[in-house]
């Protein structure tokens, strides 16, 4: 099935390659209107978090003036990686449309398997050493947050 918004995400993913970015694009839509259309800029910006979906979420949030994008949908040229999927959940986007799968991306050198494997391991078994320090001091900040009357919940 063809979709105009998904085609836009795919088209910008091709533009991304020509600009020196990765082959990924994303489009955020609200009420059949494109709010943001972005591509991967990891190598352009030297920013490992500058995936198409992250860029699209950042642009849409700024444009709409809110972090809750629950009234939007996202179209991604490829199934979102674990980082982007997490950001989609944090943005409360309820629907993701995508074209190619993570397996397709793996076949051209973009594999997220390590992350999927690592996330399910106990902290002590992960490849990246994770060392907990200063818990009581950080818990003090949480106590302030719990009592803070002007907090914006998210």
């Amino acid at each position: 099935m063809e979709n105009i918004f998904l085609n836009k995400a795919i088209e910008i993913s091709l533009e991304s390659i020509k600009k020196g970015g990765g082959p990924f694009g994303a489009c955020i839509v609200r009420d059949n209107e494109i709010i943001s259309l972005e591509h991967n800029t990891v190598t352009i910006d030297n920013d490992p978090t500058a995936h198409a979906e992250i860029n699209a979420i950042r642009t849409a949030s700024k444009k709409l003036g809110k972090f809750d994008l629950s009234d939007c949908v996202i179209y991604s040229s490829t199934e979102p990686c674990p980082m982007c999927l997490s950001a989609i959940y944090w943005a409360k986007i309820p629907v993701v449309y995508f074209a190619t799968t993570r397996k397709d991306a793996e076949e051209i050198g973009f594999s997220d398997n390590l992350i999927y494997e690592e996330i399910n391991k106990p902290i002590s078994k992960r490849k990246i050493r994770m060392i907990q320090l200063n818990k009581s001091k950080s818990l003090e900040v949480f106590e302030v947050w719990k009592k803070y009357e002007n907090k914006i919940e998210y």
Side-chain angles (χ1 to χ4, degrees):
M1 180 174 143
E2 289 284 315
N3 179 281
I4 184 175
F5 300 120
L6 195 48
N7 281 342
K8 291 282 188 191
I10 294 167
E11 288 166 13
I12 203 166
S13 71
L14 181 58
E15 287 180 39
S16 181
I17 294 171
K18 295 174 184 174
K19 292 177 180 179
F24 306 101
C27 181
I28 294 182
V29 175
R30 182 176 72 170
D31 298 329
N32 277 333
E33 178 187 344
I34 294 174
I35 304 301
S36 64
L37 179 61
E38 298 289 342
H39 63 88
N40 178 291
T41 60
V42 169
T43 54
I44 296 166
D45 297 337
N46 290 315
D47 179 352
T49 69
H51 290 200
E53 297 89 343
I54 300 292
N55 290 341
I57 288 168
R58 288 174 178 158
T59 298
S61 294
K62 284 180 186 168
K63 185 174 181 180
L64 297 174
K66 60 183 189 164
F67 55 83
D68 181 340
L69 303 178
S70 59
D71 56 348
C72 298
V73 296
I74 189 166
Y75 296 83
S76 181
S77 62
T78 301
E79 178 182 359
C81 75
M83 175 183 69
C84 293
L85 184 59
S86 296
I88 289 165
Y89 274 102
W90 283 116
K92 298 180 171 73
I93 298 172
V95 179
V96 178
Y97 296 95
F98 65 95
T100 51
T101 66
R102 69 186 202 205
K103 179 73 173 144
D104 297 321
E106 182 179 357
E107 290 175 6
I108 62 163
F110 294 92
S111 177
D112 299 320
N113 290 337
L114 174 67
I115 297 168
Y116 284 110
E117 292 167 6
E118 288 288 299
I119 205 120
N120 287 317
K121 290 180 182 177
I123 289 174
S124 64
K125 302 290 183 193
R126 293 181 183 162
K127 290 183 187 283
I128 295 175
R129 286 183 46 202
M130 298 185 68
I131 303 162
Q132 185 178 22
L133 301 171
N134 298 9
K135 181 177 179 176
S136 61
K137 187 142 187 91
S138 187
L139 283 174
E140 291 173 13
V141 176
F142 282 10
E143 286 301 315
V144 171
W145 174 257
K146 285 196 302 191
K147 296 172 186 167
Y148 188 65
E149 292 181 17
N150 295 323
K151 65 184 162 205
I152 299 172
E153 305 254 353
Y154 60 97

